Amino acid sequence: PQTVAVGTNLTGLYAKASFLAEQVSQLLNGWLLEILMTEGRWAFVRQSDGYLGWAYAPYLVPAHGCAFSHLVSAPVSLLHAEPHGSAPLVSRIMGGTAVAVDAIDAAWVHVVGGQPGPARVGRGAD
């Protein structure tokens, strides 16, 4: 099976290949999945904990080079383009998201996840 990573902040894992189907779990940015089969724009996947279900394939990215070192523990973390609170927001990441920390700068860490491009997240007061 092909291994991929979730490339969006949060998406559902569904019982059938449809957003209208029952949601059986949620998938966070950076989580690794095995694609077992595809149907149109949907992939039937297995999570590392064994859960099976359908994920929307455009939200999945190649897993090669994914070396996640940390899990986000705050319920929600704001991602900034630069390491200061007034910098533009890039996105937000949910607690439980897998990221790689590749630099620490005072109260900020530089993280890389399944979404494209790096961002900065505050570690405390700016």
Side-chain angles (χ1 to χ4, degrees), residues 8 11-14 17-19 27 33 40-45 53-61:
T8 188
T11 189
L13 185 70
Y14 297 92
S18 169
F19 285 117
L27 306 171
L33 308 169
R41 295 176 59 93
W42 290 85
F44 188 70
V45 299
W54 291 92
Y56 188 58
Y59 293 162
L60 308 178
V61 297

Side-chain angles (χ1 to χ4, degrees), residues 83-103:
H84 53 84
S86 61
L89 288 176
V90 174
S91 187
R92 62 179 72 73
I93 51 177
M94 309 300 285
T97 299
V99 295
V101 173
D102 65 356

Side-chain angles (χ1 to χ4, degrees), residues 33-68:
L33 308 169
E34 288 182 309
I35 294 180
L36 303 176
M37 66 183 220
T38 59
E39 183 178 298
R41 295 176 59 93
W42 290 85
F44 188 70
V45 299
R46 178 175 37 225
Q47 291 180 237
S48 61
D49 61 7
Y51 268 80
L52 299 170
W54 291 92
Y56 188 58
Y59 293 162
L60 308 178
V61 297
H64 63 287
C66 290
F68 302 117

